[in-house]
Amino acid sequence: MAKPGFQELFSRYLAGNTTEDETQQVLAQIAAGTDDQELNDWIATYWEQLEQTDGRYTSETGQPILNKILGSPDGQEKNTPVVSLRSRFLHQWRWIAASIILVLGIGSYFLVARKSKDPATVAINAAGIQPGKAGAILTLADGSQLLLDTIQNGVIPLHGSSTAKVINGTLQYNNAGKEATYNTMSTPKGRQFGITLPDGTQVWLNSASSIRYPTAFTGHDRKVELTGEAYFEVAHNQDKPFLVSVNNKAVLQVLGTHFNVNAYEDEQDIATTLLEGSVAVNVLSASNHQNLNTHHTLYKNTVILKPGQQARVMNTVTDSTAVNSIKVTNANVNKVMAWKNGLFNFEDANLEQVMRQLSRWYNIEVVYEKGIPDIYFYGEMGRNMPLIDVLANLQTTGVRFRLEGRKLIVLPL
């Protein structure tokens, strides 16, 4: 039976108004109360009411979480009423509230948040590791490089009469000239930067990314090459389609539109998410990888995205042959665009996915002492926090770390 006053305490917990001791009481009571039908019914009713009064939440993502809370330790669901659960309420409260739920894949059970067994190790060693900031390296046509971190607001001489300038963390090509030479802007780990291309197209590069582009678009189209992750707002030009070559595996073709591309080599797929306009996602066959500069490149597969959709170019093996295919789904746009909006979005992200994001943004190496713990997270965190704060928040879920210099070692649960 739920302890007297638990309903009021639980309501305050969801609103982020509990002390640390009260938070531990709530989590412990839920963990211990999964056999308490009265408690289960009350939690289900509370979330049902939340669904009716707050239109921001979706039952599609919430139902699996409810099943985990009301389920048995061996992962078998109990005979409880199926209700809609608003899981996205987790986003609006502090991380300790958001970390209430995580799913351990094998056995699927509800884990009470707890403090690290050795918080001092992380606290001492991570104190000096700050979040990423604006910065990039510009490689000119002659191979010379400029560190854009050190240029506040100034003019950069390029090839011939071409010039560019840095304004508030963005490289702008205002006098590109008529001769096309190629520049490359790259962001190391722990850096991100913006660029306005000669045609007015705006691009934001996430950390560990690069874009190669001409200083003038003189041909029949506008071609750039991308690695890593970037968000594009393409200037409309009916006569010159905009082409993005991605890792020599896909070519995106647009006239004028807004979209995000995640093409990190350590991610499983190339994900293109459309926010506005239209984009054609073209998969290249191996024979066409050398023909990206031809106007009539033949594509193996093509899909046209609508706003809110995401195309994933997946590498699969059939009969010992690698094949690229496309899968289109509805996108979680908030999750996709979180990086540009200054957030980490860990909605339904496993530990390995979370660590890859932290590795790029904090310029750290992540290793696992004994395999990768099978943990999934829900919630958001700001990208402006020092690493020490991020790790402290993650440790409330039971994950443990050891930091040696810039090497973060994930310890077994």
Side-chain angles (χ1 to χ4, degrees):
M1 186 102 175
K3 295 180 180 179
F6 174 76
Q7 296 181 11
E8 186 271 337
L9 189 62
F10 182 71
S11 299
R12 287 199 292 112
Y13 170 81
L14 293 179
N17 295 326
T18 51
T19 65
E20 182 175 342
D21 288 342
E22 289 174 333
T23 296
Q24 294 299 321
Q25 291 179 33
V26 171
L27 297 175
Q29 179 65 39
I30 292 177
T34 52
D35 287 324
D36 186 335
Q37 188 61 48
E38 181 180 341
L39 175 60
N40 290 343
D41 291 344
W42 183 83
I43 292 175
T45 300
Y46 183 94
W47 276 319
E48 215 170 25
Q49 293 171 350
L50 190 62
E51 176 182 13
Q52 297 170 359
T53 58
D54 197 323
R56 290 171 298 173
Y57 311 133
T58 62
S59 58
E60 180 180 348
T61 55
Q63 187 62 53
I65 298 176
L66 179 61
N67 291 339
K68 298 300 180 185
I69 295 176
L70 302 183
S72 60
D74 62 2
Q76 300 298 318
E77 297 176 12
K78 296 179 181 179
N79 295 323
T80 54
V82 177
V83 300
S84 296
L85 162 63
R86 299 301 191 177
S87 70
R88 292 183 64 83
F89 73 86
L90 295 174
H91 289 177
Q92 67 187 28
W93 293 304
R94 59 187 180 178
W95 176 256
I96 194 169
S99 64
I100 179 176
I101 299 168
L102 56 88
V103 178
L104 304 186
I106 300 176
S108 295
Y109 60 90
F110 191 86
L111 184 67
V112 176
R114 59 181 181 271
K115 293 184 178 181
S116 168
K117 295 181 180 180
D118 188 13
T121 302
V122 169
I124 294 173
N125 295 331
I129 300 181
Q130 297 301 310
K133 60 182 181 180
I137 298 171
L138 178 64
T139 303
L140 303 179
D142 61 2
S144 60
Q145 294 186 327
L146 298 173
L147 186 62
L148 300 182
D149 304 40
T150 60
I151 302 175
Q152 298 299 321
N153 292 293
V155 177
I156 301 174
L158 303 173
H159 180 79
S161 61
S162 300
T163 60
K165 60 182 178 180
V166 175
I167 300 178
N168 300 326
T170 300
L171 180 66
Q172 299 183 0
Y173 284 78
N174 293 324
N175 181 20
K178 296 182 179 180
E179 183 180 356
T181 60
Y182 278 83
N183 292 172
T184 299
M185 190 173 80
S186 55
T187 50
K189 283 186 174 183
R191 296 290 186 270
Q192 64 182 33
F193 216 73
I195 180 173
T196 300
L197 297 175
D199 66 334
T201 291
Q202 298 183 69
V203 185
W204 288 262
L205 280 187
N206 202 350
S207 53
S209 304
S210 71
I211 182 170
R212 183 176 181 266
Y213 53 90
T215 56
F217 292 112
T218 58
H220 48 260
D221 53 25
R222 300 168 286 168
K223 293 191 290 286
V224 301
E225 299 172 21
L226 175 71
T227 65
E229 183 169 26
Y231 170 67
F232 291 80
E233 292 186 356
V234 177
H236 184 81
N237 187 331
Q238 185 70 34
D239 299 324
K240 285 189 178 184
F242 192 93
L243 305 178
V244 183
S245 172
V246 186
N247 294 354
N248 284 338
K249 294 181 180 179
V251 173
L252 314 179
Q253 182 174 357
V254 302
L255 296 176
T257 187
H258 299 178
F259 60 95
N260 189 84
V261 184
N262 185 317
Y264 288 112
E265 291 287 356
D266 59 358
E267 296 292 345
Q268 187 174 4
D269 308 319
I270 296 174
T272 301
T273 307
L274 181 63
L275 279 72
E276 180 180 310
S278 178
V279 60
V281 180
N282 306 289
V283 173
L284 290 168
S285 63
S287 60
N288 283 325
H289 287 177
Q290 287 75 37
N291 299 322
L292 295 177
N293 292 325
T294 64
H295 183 50
H296 298 292
T297 298
L298 297 177
Y299 302 117
K300 180 181 179 182
N301 197 358
T302 298
V303 298
I304 307 297
L305 292 183
K306 298 178 181 179
Q309 290 185 329
Q310 181 180 89
R312 287 189 169 272
V313 176
M314 303 175 293
N315 185 266
T316 57
V317 178
T318 303
D319 297 329
S320 300
T321 302
V323 177
N324 290 327
S325 59
I326 304 179
K327 180 180 180 180
V328 177
T329 60
N330 292 326
N332 181 340
V333 175
N334 289 333
K335 181 177 181 178
V336 171
M337 296 306 301
W339 72 269
K340 185 177 177 294
N341 297 327
L343 297 170
F344 293 113
N345 186 309
F346 296 149
E347 187 73 18
D348 198 27
N350 61 38
L351 180 62
E352 189 176 14
Q353 292 169 329
V354 169
M355 290 297 107
R356 284 201 294 266
Q357 293 188 51
L358 298 186
S359 172
R360 297 177 196 130
W361 188 234
Y362 291 94
N363 189 19
I364 58 175
E365 177 188 2
V366 177
V367 298
Y368 301 88
E369 188 171 81
K370 291 184 180 179
I372 304 173
D374 197 0
I375 300 175
Y376 284 78
F377 297 88
Y378 299 84
E380 290 180 342
M381 298 174 65
R383 278 164 54 108
N384 61 345
M385 296 191 301
L387 181 61
I388 182 175
D389 293 339
V390 174
L391 297 182
N393 285 328
L394 292 179
Q395 284 182 138
T396 66
T397 69
V399 184
R400 298 186 301 123
F401 309 98
R402 184 173 72 251
L403 197 66
E404 298 176 356
R406 300 193 81 91
K407 178 186 289 188
L408 181 65
I409 303 169
V410 181
L411 305 176
L413 292 176

